[in-house]
Amino acid sequence: MSKSIKIEPLTAEAFAPFGDVLDASGTPDKIINQGKCGRFHDRAKLDFADGQAGISIFQSEKRTLPLALELVERHPEGSQAFVPMTSDPFLVVVASDDGGTPTDPRAFITASGQGINFHRGTWHGVLTPLSEPGLFAVIDRIGEGANLEEHWFDVPYTIEK
């Protein structure tokens, strides 16, 4: 029997223990480009043990709800940011860490114009677009050595609206 997770709206406050919300909320930090552009400066904490920041493009298959959450993963050597290349919302799943084991998973739905940055070592679900084409710019660590840990749940969770 699976456990149920209800989806929450993505807010900076609710997501703060897991990472950063990337959006253009509030007042811009600077006005640039001849007064035509607001710059929302330094919105994510990029954190790498070594290596360097790289930008990759991911294209993921669309997922549908309800969704079985069977595994989460984390990246101990670096943070990982997902910036959607469309205005479509996507699902963000995170879990707290209890001595190396993920606990209490939560699911968030982004609003149009939001991206996220997972803090280094944060347990999270896989990329979960809810619409096609599932296209994202991903900023993360490029370097030597393993930077992926997976945890499979004995009993999957069900994520529902």
Side-chain angles (χ1 to χ4, degrees), residues 135-156:
L135 196 58
F136 292 79
V138 178
I139 301 97
D140 62 357
R141 173 189 170 270
I142 306 297
E144 298 295 319
N147 188 29
L148 174 66
E149 294 178 29
E150 291 182 339
H151 176 87
W152 288 80
F153 294 110
D154 292 333
V155 175

Side-chain angles (χ1 to χ4, degrees), residues 47-50 73-80 120-121 124 140-150:
D47 178 18
F48 308 116
D50 59 13
E73 62 184 35
R74 67 179 175 177
H75 309 286
E77 301 299 323
S79 56
Q80 189 175 47
R120 181 173 152 189
H124 63 86
D140 62 357
R141 173 189 170 270
I142 306 297
E144 298 295 319
N147 188 29
L148 174 66
E149 294 178 29
E150 291 182 339

Side-chain angles (χ1 to χ4, degrees), residues 25-96:
S25 62
T27 304
D29 298 292
K30 297 178 184 181
I31 302 298
I32 59 173
N33 296 343
Q34 299 174 307
K36 305 282 186 202
C37 180
R39 178 177 174 148
F40 296 82
H41 187 70
D42 200 21
R43 289 289 170 130
K45 181 182 182 214
L46 300 180
D47 178 18
F48 308 116
D50 59 13
Q52 63 187 35
I55 300 175
S56 303
I57 305 299
F58 287 19
Q59 187 165 19
S60 180
E61 292 181 17
K62 166 183 144 175
R63 305 292 184 100
T64 56
L65 299 172
L67 178 72
L69 176 65
E70 299 174 307
L71 87 130
V72 290
E73 62 184 35
R74 67 179 175 177
H75 309 286
E77 301 299 323
S79 56
Q80 189 175 47
F82 289 85
V83 181
M85 296 177 73
T86 67
S87 61
D88 300 308
F90 63 103
L91 193 66
V92 179
V93 176
V94 292
S96 298

